[in-house]
Amino acid sequence: GAVVSQHPSRVICKSGTSVKIECRSLDFQATTMFWYRQFPKKSLMLMATSNEGSKATYEQGVEKDKFLINHASLTLSTLTVTSAHPEDSSFYICSARDTGQTNGYGYTFGSGTRLTVV
Amino acid sequence: KQEVTQIPAALSVPEGENLVLNCSFTDSAIYNLQWFRQDPGKGLTSLLLIQSSQREQTSGRLNASLDKSSGRSTLYIAASQPGDSATYLCAVSGFNKFYFGSGTKLNVKP
């Protein structure tokens, strides 16, 4: 089945530095990938939709300059948290849709990245 | 804007019990509804996907139902096991967007 690999699974960084998170579709092409953020004991919130070869679409309230998204190929999207602050600490999850699946909207989720900014 | 609510927020049951998790949503114009499982510190595992034209889906001990008109879905877990302990998330799909509930944290006691 469709597999989405997310890396790293955990990262600790200092305030003011930037962190890059990768999301790869391993056995399918994904023209669209999605980035979510999950706060403790809260639901997942869609941050942005990543489109291959074009600019990402950000949800209302998400800072484009802080959360840089690049979708340079059909199998890779990256999320870079720039000038990280402790309040950026969270669990980030990516998702991709395997357009080859016929059983509806076959979205697959990555295993998530726990970001801690100290 | 679509809002998804899950009740209860937490549930603790003894092993072997049958249980029901509830999910409600405010906008019935959905493409599908999906139930996920999330283990602590982990990503999401898809359990069941119900298309908007379907009423229910079954996989093993899991059965999910969908009533679009009333904006409700239930996840039924039969003969619960300690390995079922996790957070269960309900999500409804619009066009290229998922709206998640805040989850039900299930603890199945041996």
Side-chain angles (χ1 to χ4, degrees), chain A residues 34 38 43 59 103-104 107 111, chain B residues 38 43 51 96-98 100-101:
Chain A
F34 306 89
Q38 187 176 35
S43 184
E59 294 299 299
N103 61 340
Y107 292 99
S111 54
Chain B
Q38 185 177 31
Q51 301 284 4
N96 267 351
K97 276 191 181 184
F98 268 104
F100 283 86

Side-chain angles (χ1 to χ4, degrees), chain A residues 53-66:
Chain A
S54 64
K55 290 183 178 180
T57 304
Y58 290 81
E59 294 299 299
Q60 192 173 8
V62 177
E63 297 178 60
K64 300 178 183 181
D65 295 333
K66 166 161 270 306

Side-chain angles (χ1 to χ4, degrees), chain A residues 10 32 34 36 38 41-46 49 59 91 93 95 97 102-107 109-112 114, chain B residues 6 31-32 34 36 38 41-46 49 51 89-90 93-103 105:
Chain A
R10 290 179 177 273
T32 305
F34 306 89
Y36 292 85
Q38 187 176 35
K41 298 184 180 180
K42 298 286 186 182
S43 184
L44 279 78
M45 284 178 28
L46 179 64
T49 302
E59 294 299 299
F91 193 60
I93 304 179
S95 165
R97 180 185 163 204
T102 57
N103 61 340
Y105 288 69
Y107 292 99
F109 285 78
S111 54
R114 170 70 63 191
Chain B
Q6 288 187 247
Y31 282 90
N32 57 49
Q34 201 160 353
F36 295 90
Q38 185 177 31
K42 303 291 185 181
L44 305 183
T45 301
S46 179
L49 168 71
Q51 301 284 4
L89 294 167
C90 158
S93 172
F95 181 69
N96 267 351
K97 276 191 181 184
F98 268 104
Y99 298 91
F100 283 86
S102 52
K105 187 174 183 179

Side-chain angles (χ1 to χ4, degrees), chain A residues 25-37:
Chain A
S25 56
L26 295 186
D27 49 3
F28 65 99
Q29 294 183 334
T31 55
T32 305
M33 292 185 176
F34 306 89
W35 288 95
Y36 292 85
R37 180 174 179 175

